[in-house]
PDB file of all heavy atoms in Angstrom:
ATOM      1  N   LEU A  17      -4.856   5.068  -3.508  1.00  0.00           N
ATOM      2  CA  LEU A  17      -4.965   3.803  -4.218  1.00  0.00           C
ATOM      3  C   LEU A  17      -5.197   4.025  -5.716  1.00  0.00           C
ATOM      4  O   LEU A  17      -4.632   3.313  -6.550  1.00  0.00           O
ATOM      5  CB  LEU A  17      -6.070   2.928  -3.628  1.00  0.00           C
ATOM      6  CG  LEU A  17      -5.769   2.349  -2.252  1.00  0.00           C
ATOM      7  CD1 LEU A  17      -6.992   1.632  -1.692  1.00  0.00           C
ATOM      8  CD2 LEU A  17      -4.568   1.406  -2.299  1.00  0.00           C
ATOM      9  N   LYS A  18      -5.984   5.012  -6.051  1.00  0.00           N
ATOM     10  CA  LYS A  18      -6.220   5.331  -7.470  1.00  0.00           C
ATOM     11  C   LYS A  18      -4.905   5.672  -8.161  1.00  0.00           C
ATOM     12  O   LYS A  18      -4.605   5.171  -9.241  1.00  0.00           O
ATOM     13  CB  LYS A  18      -7.209   6.484  -7.596  1.00  0.00           C
ATOM     14  CG  LYS A  18      -7.508   6.858  -9.023  1.00  0.00           C
ATOM     15  CD  LYS A  18      -8.488   8.013  -9.103  1.00  0.00           C
ATOM     16  CE  LYS A  18      -8.727   8.413 -10.541  1.00  0.00           C
ATOM     17  NZ  LYS A  18      -9.625   9.571 -10.656  1.00  0.00           N
ATOM     18  N   SER A  19      -4.124   6.514  -7.524  1.00  0.00           N
ATOM     19  CA  SER A  19      -2.835   6.911  -8.076  1.00  0.00           C
ATOM     20  C   SER A  19      -1.873   5.725  -8.186  1.00  0.00           C
ATOM     21  O   SER A  19      -1.192   5.547  -9.203  1.00  0.00           O
ATOM     22  CB  SER A  19      -2.233   8.011  -7.205  1.00  0.00           C
ATOM     23  OG  SER A  19      -0.983   8.416  -7.709  1.00  0.00           O
ATOM     24  N   LEU A  20      -1.844   4.903  -7.141  1.00  0.00           N
ATOM     25  CA  LEU A  20      -0.967   3.733  -7.148  1.00  0.00           C
ATOM     26  C   LEU A  20      -1.381   2.724  -8.211  1.00  0.00           C
ATOM     27  O   LEU A  20      -0.532   2.134  -8.898  1.00  0.00           O
ATOM     28  CB  LEU A  20      -0.964   3.070  -5.764  1.00  0.00           C
ATOM     29  CG  LEU A  20      -0.264   3.861  -4.664  1.00  0.00           C
ATOM     30  CD1 LEU A  20      -0.619   3.287  -3.298  1.00  0.00           C
ATOM     31  CD2 LEU A  20       1.241   3.860  -4.879  1.00  0.00           C
ATOM     32  N   ARG A  21      -2.681   2.537  -8.376  1.00  0.00           N
ATOM     33  CA  ARG A  21      -3.172   1.603  -9.403  1.00  0.00           C
ATOM     34  C   ARG A  21      -2.800   2.087 -10.802  1.00  0.00           C
ATOM     35  O   ARG A  21      -2.423   1.295 -11.665  1.00  0.00           O
ATOM     36  CB  ARG A  21      -4.681   1.443  -9.287  1.00  0.00           C
ATOM     37  CG  ARG A  21      -5.128   0.652  -8.090  1.00  0.00           C
ATOM     38  CD  ARG A  21      -6.637   0.571  -8.025  1.00  0.00           C
ATOM     39  NE  ARG A  21      -7.094   0.079  -6.748  1.00  0.00           N
ATOM     40  CZ  ARG A  21      -8.028   0.666  -6.005  1.00  0.00           C
ATOM     41  NH1 ARG A  21      -8.619   1.781  -6.421  1.00  0.00           N
ATOM     42  NH2 ARG A  21      -8.379   0.163  -4.842  1.00  0.00           N
ATOM     43  N   GLN A  22      -2.932   3.394 -11.017  1.00  0.00           N
ATOM     44  CA  GLN A  22      -2.574   3.965 -12.317  1.00  0.00           C
ATOM     45  C   GLN A  22      -1.076   3.779 -12.592  1.00  0.00           C
ATOM     46  O   GLN A  22      -0.690   3.429 -13.703  1.00  0.00           O
ATOM     47  CB  GLN A  22      -2.929   5.450 -12.379  1.00  0.00           C
ATOM     48  CG  GLN A  22      -4.410   5.702 -12.479  1.00  0.00           C
ATOM     49  CD  GLN A  22      -4.756   7.187 -12.416  1.00  0.00           C
ATOM     50  OE1 GLN A  22      -3.966   8.016 -11.987  1.00  0.00           O
ATOM     51  NE2 GLN A  22      -5.956   7.510 -12.848  1.00  0.00           N
ATOM     52  N   TYR A  23      -0.259   4.015 -11.587  1.00  0.00           N
ATOM     53  CA  TYR A  23       1.178   3.826 -11.731  1.00  0.00           C
ATOM     54  C   TYR A  23       1.492   2.376 -12.092  1.00  0.00           C
ATOM     55  O   TYR A  23       2.287   2.101 -13.002  1.00  0.00           O
ATOM     56  CB  TYR A  23       1.903   4.211 -10.436  1.00  0.00           C
ATOM     57  CG  TYR A  23       3.393   4.017 -10.523  1.00  0.00           C
ATOM     58  CD1 TYR A  23       4.218   5.027 -11.008  1.00  0.00           C
ATOM     59  CD2 TYR A  23       3.980   2.809 -10.146  1.00  0.00           C
ATOM     60  CE1 TYR A  23       5.590   4.842 -11.117  1.00  0.00           C
ATOM     61  CE2 TYR A  23       5.352   2.615 -10.256  1.00  0.00           C
ATOM     62  CZ  TYR A  23       6.151   3.635 -10.731  1.00  0.00           C
ATOM     63  OH  TYR A  23       7.505   3.432 -10.840  1.00  0.00           O
ATOM     64  N   ALA A  24       0.876   1.450 -11.375  1.00  0.00           N
ATOM     65  CA  ALA A  24       1.099   0.033 -11.632  1.00  0.00           C
ATOM     66  C   ALA A  24       0.687  -0.327 -13.057  1.00  0.00           C
ATOM     67  O   ALA A  24       1.422  -1.020 -13.773  1.00  0.00           O
ATOM     68  CB  ALA A  24       0.345  -0.817 -10.616  1.00  0.00           C
ATOM     69  N   LEU A  25      -0.461   0.150 -13.478  1.00  0.00           N
ATOM     70  CA  LEU A  25      -0.962  -0.140 -14.822  1.00  0.00           C
ATOM     71  C   LEU A  25      -0.008   0.389 -15.886  1.00  0.00           C
ATOM     72  O   LEU A  25       0.345  -0.321 -16.826  1.00  0.00           O
ATOM     73  CB  LEU A  25      -2.357   0.475 -15.001  1.00  0.00           C
ATOM     74  CG  LEU A  25      -3.013   0.285 -16.359  1.00  0.00           C
ATOM     75  CD1 LEU A  25      -3.333  -1.191 -16.594  1.00  0.00           C
ATOM     76  CD2 LEU A  25      -4.273   1.119 -16.446  1.00  0.00           C
ATOM     77  N   HIS A  26       0.420   1.636 -15.733  1.00  0.00           N
ATOM     78  CA  HIS A  26       1.302   2.268 -16.714  1.00  0.00           C
ATOM     79  C   HIS A  26       2.695   1.649 -16.743  1.00  0.00           C
ATOM     80  O   HIS A  26       3.443   1.822 -17.698  1.00  0.00           O
ATOM     81  CB  HIS A  26       1.393   3.767 -16.456  1.00  0.00           C
ATOM     82  CG  HIS A  26       0.164   4.505 -16.874  1.00  0.00           C
ATOM     83  ND1 HIS A  26      -1.013   4.453 -16.147  1.00  0.00           N
ATOM     84  CD2 HIS A  26      -0.097   5.285 -17.938  1.00  0.00           C
ATOM     85  CE1 HIS A  26      -1.922   5.175 -16.744  1.00  0.00           C
ATOM     86  NE2 HIS A  26      -1.403   5.694 -17.839  1.00  0.00           N
ATOM     87  N   ASN A  27       3.068   0.939 -15.704  1.00  0.00           N
ATOM     88  CA  ASN A  27       4.388   0.328 -15.634  1.00  0.00           C
ATOM     89  C   ASN A  27       4.335  -1.195 -15.727  1.00  0.00           C
ATOM     90  O   ASN A  27       5.301  -1.883 -15.385  1.00  0.00           O
ATOM     91  CB  ASN A  27       5.101   0.773 -14.358  1.00  0.00           C
ATOM     92  CG  ASN A  27       5.492   2.229 -14.437  1.00  0.00           C
ATOM     93  OD1 ASN A  27       6.483   2.570 -15.053  1.00  0.00           O
ATOM     94  ND2 ASN A  27       4.680   3.104 -13.844  1.00  0.00           N
ATOM     95  N   ASN A  28       3.199  -1.699 -16.205  1.00  0.00           N
ATOM     96  CA  ASN A  28       3.000  -3.134 -16.426  1.00  0.00           C
ATOM     97  C   ASN A  28       3.213  -3.990 -15.182  1.00  0.00           C
ATOM     98  O   ASN A  28       3.749  -5.097 -15.259  1.00  0.00           O
ATOM     99  CB  ASN A  28       3.895  -3.627 -17.574  1.00  0.00           C
ATOM    100  CG  ASN A  28       3.557  -2.955 -18.875  1.00  0.00           C
ATOM    101  OD1 ASN A  28       2.393  -2.798 -19.211  1.00  0.00           O
ATOM    102  ND2 ASN A  28       4.561  -2.513 -19.595  1.00  0.00           N
ATOM    103  N   HIS A  29       2.793  -3.474 -14.040  1.00  0.00           N
ATOM    104  CA  HIS A  29       2.871  -4.230 -12.793  1.00  0.00           C
ATOM    105  C   HIS A  29       1.501  -4.859 -12.524  1.00  0.00           C
ATOM    106  O   HIS A  29       0.464  -4.280 -12.843  1.00  0.00           O
ATOM    107  CB  HIS A  29       3.236  -3.333 -11.613  1.00  0.00           C
ATOM    108  CG  HIS A  29       4.572  -2.677 -11.728  1.00  0.00           C
ATOM    109  ND1 HIS A  29       5.707  -3.313 -12.188  1.00  0.00           N
ATOM    110  CD2 HIS A  29       4.969  -1.425 -11.438  1.00  0.00           C
ATOM    111  CE1 HIS A  29       6.731  -2.493 -12.170  1.00  0.00           C
ATOM    112  NE2 HIS A  29       6.305  -1.330 -11.728  1.00  0.00           N
ATOM    113  N   THR A  30       1.512  -6.016 -11.895  1.00  0.00           N
ATOM    114  CA  THR A  30       0.276  -6.686 -11.500  1.00  0.00           C
ATOM    115  C   THR A  30       0.093  -6.511  -9.999  1.00  0.00           C
ATOM    116  O   THR A  30       0.935  -6.921  -9.213  1.00  0.00           O
ATOM    117  CB  THR A  30       0.363  -8.199 -11.824  1.00  0.00           C
ATOM    118  OG1 THR A  30       0.598  -8.345 -13.225  1.00  0.00           O
ATOM    119  CG2 THR A  30      -0.916  -8.923 -11.431  1.00  0.00           C
ATOM    120  N   VAL A  31      -0.998  -5.867  -9.621  1.00  0.00           N
ATOM    121  CA  VAL A  31      -1.295  -5.644  -8.205  1.00  0.00           C
ATOM    122  C   VAL A  31      -1.859  -6.934  -7.623  1.00  0.00           C
ATOM    123  O   VAL A  31      -2.897  -7.426  -8.079  1.00  0.00           O
ATOM    124  CB  VAL A  31      -2.284  -4.476  -8.009  1.00  0.00           C
ATOM    125  CG1 VAL A  31      -2.639  -4.315  -6.541  1.00  0.00           C
ATOM    126  CG2 VAL A  31      -1.708  -3.189  -8.576  1.00  0.00           C
ATOM    127  N   THR A  32      -1.168  -7.467  -6.619  1.00  0.00           N
ATOM    128  CA  THR A  32      -1.602  -8.723  -6.022  1.00  0.00           C
ATOM    129  C   THR A  32      -2.393  -8.513  -4.736  1.00  0.00           C
ATOM    130  O   THR A  32      -3.202  -9.346  -4.356  1.00  0.00           O
ATOM    131  CB  THR A  32      -0.401  -9.627  -5.710  1.00  0.00           C
ATOM    132  OG1 THR A  32       0.480  -8.943  -4.828  1.00  0.00           O
ATOM    133  CG2 THR A  32       0.323 -10.005  -6.992  1.00  0.00           C
ATOM    134  N   LYS A  33      -2.147  -7.403  -4.071  1.00  0.00           N
ATOM    135  CA  LYS A  33      -2.844  -7.137  -2.807  1.00  0.00           C
ATOM    136  C   LYS A  33      -2.742  -5.651  -2.478  1.00  0.00           C
ATOM    137  O   LYS A  33      -1.788  -4.992  -2.869  1.00  0.00           O
ATOM    138  CB  LYS A  33      -2.242  -7.974  -1.673  1.00  0.00           C
ATOM    139  CG  LYS A  33      -2.991  -7.832  -0.367  1.00  0.00           C
ATOM    140  CD  LYS A  33      -3.059  -9.121   0.389  1.00  0.00           C
ATOM    141  CE  LYS A  33      -3.864  -8.849   1.650  1.00  0.00           C
ATOM    142  NZ  LYS A  33      -4.306  -9.995   2.330  1.00  0.00           N
ATOM    143  N   GLU A  34      -3.726  -5.161  -1.741  1.00  0.00           N
ATOM    144  CA  GLU A  34      -3.716  -3.773  -1.273  1.00  0.00           C
ATOM    145  C   GLU A  34      -3.797  -3.784   0.241  1.00  0.00           C
ATOM    146  O   GLU A  34      -4.614  -4.497   0.823  1.00  0.00           O
ATOM    147  CB  GLU A  34      -4.892  -3.004  -1.867  1.00  0.00           C
ATOM    148  CG  GLU A  34      -4.810  -2.882  -3.367  1.00  0.00           C
ATOM    149  CD  GLU A  34      -6.000  -2.159  -3.978  1.00  0.00           C
ATOM    150  OE1 GLU A  34      -6.952  -1.803  -3.248  1.00  0.00           O
ATOM    151  OE2 GLU A  34      -5.970  -1.953  -5.208  1.00  0.00           O
ATOM    152  N   TYR A  35      -2.939  -3.009   0.856  1.00  0.00           N
ATOM    153  CA  TYR A  35      -2.890  -2.891   2.314  1.00  0.00           C
ATOM    154  C   TYR A  35      -3.255  -1.466   2.686  1.00  0.00           C
ATOM    155  O   TYR A  35      -2.790  -0.513   2.073  1.00  0.00           O
ATOM    156  CB  TYR A  35      -1.486  -3.220   2.834  1.00  0.00           C
ATOM    157  CG  TYR A  35      -1.054  -4.637   2.567  1.00  0.00           C
ATOM    158  CD1 TYR A  35      -0.420  -4.986   1.385  1.00  0.00           C
ATOM    159  CD2 TYR A  35      -1.305  -5.639   3.500  1.00  0.00           C
ATOM    160  CE1 TYR A  35      -0.031  -6.295   1.134  1.00  0.00           C
ATOM    161  CE2 TYR A  35      -0.919  -6.950   3.250  1.00  0.00           C
ATOM    162  CZ  TYR A  35      -0.274  -7.266   2.072  1.00  0.00           C
ATOM    163  OH  TYR A  35       0.102  -8.561   1.843  1.00  0.00           O
ATOM    164  N   ILE A  36      -4.089  -1.346   3.733  1.00  0.00           N
ATOM    165  CA  ILE A  36      -4.584  -0.027   4.143  1.00  0.00           C
ATOM    166  C   ILE A  36      -4.488   0.120   5.653  1.00  0.00           C
ATOM    167  O   ILE A  36      -4.926  -0.757   6.403  1.00  0.00           O
ATOM    168  CB  ILE A  36      -6.058   0.154   3.702  1.00  0.00           C
ATOM    169  CG1 ILE A  36      -6.163   0.066   2.184  1.00  0.00           C
ATOM    170  CG2 ILE A  36      -6.618   1.463   4.227  1.00  0.00           C
ATOM    171  CD1 ILE A  36      -7.585  -0.063   1.687  1.00  0.00           C
ATOM    172  N   ASP A  37      -3.936   1.244   6.082  1.00  0.00           N
ATOM    173  CA  ASP A  37      -3.948   1.619   7.495  1.00  0.00           C
ATOM    174  C   ASP A  37      -4.599   2.995   7.603  1.00  0.00           C
ATOM    175  O   ASP A  37      -4.141   3.946   6.977  1.00  0.00           O
ATOM    176  CB  ASP A  37      -2.524   1.684   8.075  1.00  0.00           C
ATOM    177  CG  ASP A  37      -1.983   0.326   8.474  1.00  0.00           C
ATOM    178  OD1 ASP A  37      -2.742  -0.457   9.057  1.00  0.00           O
ATOM    179  OD2 ASP A  37      -0.804   0.061   8.208  1.00  0.00           O
ATOM    180  N   GLU A  38      -5.668   3.070   8.373  1.00  0.00           N
ATOM    181  CA  GLU A  38      -6.336   4.347   8.602  1.00  0.00           C
ATOM    182  C   GLU A  38      -6.059   4.814  10.019  1.00  0.00           C
ATOM    183  O   GLU A  38      -5.999   4.008  10.944  1.00  0.00           O
ATOM    184  CB  GLU A  38      -7.845   4.197   8.394  1.00  0.00           C
ATOM    185  CG  GLU A  38      -8.198   3.898   6.946  1.00  0.00           C
ATOM    186  CD  GLU A  38      -9.690   3.867   6.721  1.00  0.00           C
ATOM    187  OE1 GLU A  38     -10.359   4.852   7.081  1.00  0.00           O
ATOM    188  OE2 GLU A  38     -10.169   2.849   6.199  1.00  0.00           O
ATOM    189  N   ALA A  39      -5.902   6.106  10.171  1.00  0.00           N
ATOM    190  CA  ALA A  39      -5.652   6.727  11.476  1.00  0.00           C
ATOM    191  C   ALA A  39      -4.402   6.151  12.148  1.00  0.00           C
ATOM    192  O   ALA A  39      -4.389   5.900  13.343  1.00  0.00           O
ATOM    193  CB  ALA A  39      -6.876   6.602  12.385  1.00  0.00           C
ATOM    194  N   GLU A  40      -3.366   5.925  11.348  1.00  0.00           N
ATOM    195  CA  GLU A  40      -2.113   5.390  11.862  1.00  0.00           C
ATOM    196  C   GLU A  40      -0.985   6.367  11.535  1.00  0.00           C
ATOM    197  O   GLU A  40      -0.843   6.798  10.396  1.00  0.00           O
ATOM    198  CB  GLU A  40      -1.796   4.026  11.241  1.00  0.00           C
ATOM    199  CG  GLU A  40      -2.782   2.932  11.581  1.00  0.00           C
ATOM    200  CD  GLU A  40      -2.663   2.442  13.008  1.00  0.00           C
ATOM    201  OE1 GLU A  40      -1.638   2.715  13.665  1.00  0.00           O
ATOM    202  OE2 GLU A  40      -3.608   1.785  13.475  1.00  0.00           O
ATOM    203  N   SER A  41      -0.180   6.695  12.505  1.00  0.00           N
ATOM    204  CA  SER A  41       0.927   7.619  12.317  1.00  0.00           C
ATOM    205  C   SER A  41       2.027   6.985  11.472  1.00  0.00           C
ATOM    206  O   SER A  41       2.342   5.803  11.607  1.00  0.00           O
ATOM    207  CB  SER A  41       1.511   8.017  13.675  1.00  0.00           C
ATOM    208  OG  SER A  41       2.702   8.777  13.485  1.00  0.00           O
ATOM    209  N   GLY A  42       2.625   7.798  10.613  1.00  0.00           N
ATOM    210  CA  GLY A  42       3.746   7.336   9.815  1.00  0.00           C
ATOM    211  C   GLY A  42       5.039   7.311  10.594  1.00  0.00           C
ATOM    212  O   GLY A  42       6.055   6.820  10.123  1.00  0.00           O
ATOM    213  N   ARG A  43       5.024   7.832  11.792  1.00  0.00           N
ATOM    214  CA  ARG A  43       6.233   7.880  12.617  1.00  0.00           C
ATOM    215  C   ARG A  43       6.562   6.539  13.266  1.00  0.00           C
ATOM    216  O   ARG A  43       7.623   6.372  13.827  1.00  0.00           O
ATOM    217  CB  ARG A  43       6.086   8.939  13.707  1.00  0.00           C
ATOM    218  CG  ARG A  43       6.039  10.327  13.142  1.00  0.00           C
ATOM    219  CD  ARG A  43       5.967  11.340  14.239  1.00  0.00           C
ATOM    220  NE  ARG A  43       5.889  12.653  13.640  1.00  0.00           N
ATOM    221  CZ  ARG A  43       6.335  13.742  14.192  1.00  0.00           C
ATOM    222  NH1 ARG A  43       6.859  13.694  15.399  1.00  0.00           N
ATOM    223  NH2 ARG A  43       6.241  14.883  13.579  1.00  0.00           N
ATOM    224  N   SER A  44       5.632   5.632  13.186  1.00  0.00           N
ATOM    225  CA  SER A  44       5.825   4.328  13.815  1.00  0.00           C
ATOM    226  C   SER A  44       5.621   3.231  12.772  1.00  0.00           C
ATOM    227  O   SER A  44       4.775   3.348  11.895  1.00  0.00           O
ATOM    228  CB  SER A  44       4.814   4.138  14.944  1.00  0.00           C
ATOM    229  OG  SER A  44       4.825   2.797  15.386  1.00  0.00           O
ATOM    230  N   ILE A  45       6.394   2.164  12.893  1.00  0.00           N
ATOM    231  CA  ILE A  45       6.153   1.024  12.004  1.00  0.00           C
ATOM    232  C   ILE A  45       5.170   0.050  12.646  1.00  0.00           C
ATOM    233  O   ILE A  45       4.907  -1.017  12.106  1.00  0.00           O
ATOM    234  CB  ILE A  45       7.469   0.301  11.627  1.00  0.00           C
ATOM    235  CG1 ILE A  45       8.164  -0.255  12.860  1.00  0.00           C
ATOM    236  CG2 ILE A  45       8.363   1.185  10.812  1.00  0.00           C
ATOM    237  CD1 ILE A  45       9.287  -1.217  12.536  1.00  0.00           C
ATOM    238  N   ASP A  46       4.629   0.424  13.780  1.00  0.00           N
ATOM    239  CA  ASP A  46       3.661  -0.412  14.489  1.00  0.00           C
ATOM    240  C   ASP A  46       2.266  -0.178  13.909  1.00  0.00           C
ATOM    241  O   ASP A  46       1.361   0.305  14.582  1.00  0.00           O
ATOM    242  CB  ASP A  46       3.699  -0.123  15.985  1.00  0.00           C
ATOM    243  CG  ASP A  46       2.924  -1.142  16.788  1.00  0.00           C
ATOM    244  OD1 ASP A  46       2.753  -2.281  16.305  1.00  0.00           O
ATOM    245  OD2 ASP A  46       2.495  -0.801  17.903  1.00  0.00           O
ATOM    246  N   ARG A  47       2.112  -0.506  12.614  1.00  0.00           N
ATOM    247  CA  ARG A  47       0.841  -0.357  11.909  1.00  0.00           C
ATOM    248  C   ARG A  47       0.424  -1.738  11.425  1.00  0.00           C
ATOM    249  O   ARG A  47       1.213  -2.428  10.773  1.00  0.00           O
ATOM    250  CB  ARG A  47       1.008   0.594  10.719  1.00  0.00           C
ATOM    251  CG  ARG A  47       1.347   2.003  11.161  1.00  0.00           C
ATOM    252  CD  ARG A  47       1.709   2.873   9.972  1.00  0.00           C
ATOM    253  NE  ARG A  47       3.170   2.905   9.883  1.00  0.00           N
ATOM    254  CZ  ARG A  47       3.856   3.158   8.782  1.00  0.00           C
ATOM    255  NH1 ARG A  47       3.244   3.360   7.650  1.00  0.00           N
ATOM    256  NH2 ARG A  47       5.166   3.181   8.804  1.00  0.00           N
ATOM    257  N   PRO A  48      -0.778  -2.169  11.737  1.00  0.00           N
ATOM    258  CA  PRO A  48      -1.212  -3.542  11.440  1.00  0.00           C
ATOM    259  C   PRO A  48      -1.041  -3.975   9.981  1.00  0.00           C
ATOM    260  O   PRO A  48      -0.441  -5.019   9.711  1.00  0.00           O
ATOM    261  CB  PRO A  48      -2.686  -3.553  11.842  1.00  0.00           C
ATOM    262  CG  PRO A  48      -2.818  -2.446  12.827  1.00  0.00           C
ATOM    263  CD  PRO A  48      -1.821  -1.409  12.416  1.00  0.00           C
ATOM    264  N   SER A  49      -1.557  -3.206   9.051  1.00  0.00           N
ATOM    265  CA  SER A  49      -1.471  -3.615   7.642  1.00  0.00           C
ATOM    266  C   SER A  49      -0.042  -3.519   7.122  1.00  0.00           C
ATOM    267  O   SER A  49       0.373  -4.333   6.289  1.00  0.00           O
ATOM    268  CB  SER A  49      -2.404  -2.777   6.777  1.00  0.00           C
ATOM    269  OG  SER A  49      -3.741  -3.147   7.026  1.00  0.00           O
ATOM    270  N   PHE A  50       0.711  -2.562   7.609  1.00  0.00           N
ATOM    271  CA  PHE A  50       2.105  -2.433   7.209  1.00  0.00           C
ATOM    272  C   PHE A  50       2.881  -3.674   7.635  1.00  0.00           C
ATOM    273  O   PHE A  50       3.631  -4.258   6.847  1.00  0.00           O
ATOM    274  CB  PHE A  50       2.721  -1.174   7.822  1.00  0.00           C
ATOM    275  CG  PHE A  50       4.160  -0.955   7.429  1.00  0.00           C
ATOM    276  CD1 PHE A  50       4.477  -0.429   6.185  1.00  0.00           C
ATOM    277  CD2 PHE A  50       5.185  -1.263   8.293  1.00  0.00           C
ATOM    278  CE1 PHE A  50       5.795  -0.222   5.816  1.00  0.00           C
ATOM    279  CE2 PHE A  50       6.509  -1.053   7.943  1.00  0.00           C
ATOM    280  CZ  PHE A  50       6.817  -0.537   6.701  1.00  0.00           C
ATOM    281  N   LYS A  51       2.662  -4.100   8.880  1.00  0.00           N
ATOM    282  CA  LYS A  51       3.328  -5.299   9.387  1.00  0.00           C
ATOM    283  C   LYS A  51       2.928  -6.535   8.570  1.00  0.00           C
ATOM    284  O   LYS A  51       3.760  -7.381   8.264  1.00  0.00           O
ATOM    285  CB  LYS A  51       2.983  -5.532  10.855  1.00  0.00           C
ATOM    286  CG  LYS A  51       3.685  -4.600  11.800  1.00  0.00           C
ATOM    287  CD  LYS A  51       3.270  -4.951  13.219  1.00  0.00           C
ATOM    288  CE  LYS A  51       4.087  -4.240  14.251  1.00  0.00           C
ATOM    289  NZ  LYS A  51       3.688  -4.626  15.609  1.00  0.00           N
ATOM    290  N   GLN A  52       1.646  -6.621   8.221  1.00  0.00           N
ATOM    291  CA  GLN A  52       1.159  -7.749   7.439  1.00  0.00           C
ATOM    292  C   GLN A  52       1.810  -7.750   6.048  1.00  0.00           C
ATOM    293  O   GLN A  52       2.203  -8.804   5.535  1.00  0.00           O
ATOM    294  CB  GLN A  52      -0.360  -7.673   7.316  1.00  0.00           C
ATOM    295  CG  GLN A  52      -0.970  -8.836   6.581  1.00  0.00           C
ATOM    296  CD  GLN A  52      -2.476  -8.700   6.438  1.00  0.00           C
ATOM    297  OE1 GLN A  52      -3.042  -7.639   6.659  1.00  0.00           O
ATOM    298  NE2 GLN A  52      -3.129  -9.778   6.073  1.00  0.00           N
ATOM    299  N   MET A  53       1.951  -6.565   5.450  1.00  0.00           N
ATOM    300  CA  MET A  53       2.564  -6.459   4.146  1.00  0.00           C
ATOM    301  C   MET A  53       4.030  -6.921   4.187  1.00  0.00           C
ATOM    302  O   MET A  53       4.469  -7.685   3.325  1.00  0.00           O
ATOM    303  CB  MET A  53       2.491  -5.013   3.640  1.00  0.00           C
ATOM    304  CG  MET A  53       3.135  -4.785   2.300  1.00  0.00           C
ATOM    305  SD  MET A  53       3.059  -3.059   1.765  1.00  0.00           S
ATOM    306  CE  MET A  53       4.108  -2.262   2.992  1.00  0.00           C
ATOM    307  N   ILE A  54       4.759  -6.488   5.195  1.00  0.00           N
ATOM    308  CA  ILE A  54       6.166  -6.871   5.334  1.00  0.00           C
ATOM    309  C   ILE A  54       6.279  -8.390   5.550  1.00  0.00           C
ATOM    310  O   ILE A  54       7.127  -9.044   4.939  1.00  0.00           O
ATOM    311  CB  ILE A  54       6.842  -6.100   6.481  1.00  0.00           C
ATOM    312  CG1 ILE A  54       6.846  -4.590   6.174  1.00  0.00           C
ATOM    313  CG2 ILE A  54       8.238  -6.612   6.738  1.00  0.00           C
ATOM    314  CD1 ILE A  54       7.563  -4.188   4.912  1.00  0.00           C
TER     315      ILE A  54
END
């Protein structure tokens, strides 16, 4: 998140929301916060 926030700041983007999935495999799109973001 620190890295993403810095990227957004340096590229004049406004962060509207942050989504977090912990202990979730990247091999599946069945991740709660990912689904909410989409």
Side-chain angles (χ1 to χ4, degrees):
L17 290 174
K18 180 180 178 183
S19 180
L20 290 166
R21 288 178 193 130
Q22 287 175 342
Y23 179 88
L25 179 66
H26 286 74
N27 289 280
N28 297 317
H29 298 318
T30 302
V31 177
T32 59
K33 185 143 182 166
E34 296 178 356
Y35 297 88
I36 299 168
D37 278 318
E38 294 185 54
E40 296 287 344
S41 172
R43 293 183 181 209
S44 169
I45 61 168
D46 191 25
R47 295 171 262 156
S49 288
F50 181 78
K51 285 181 170 182
Q52 183 182 14
M53 178 181 66
I54 297 301

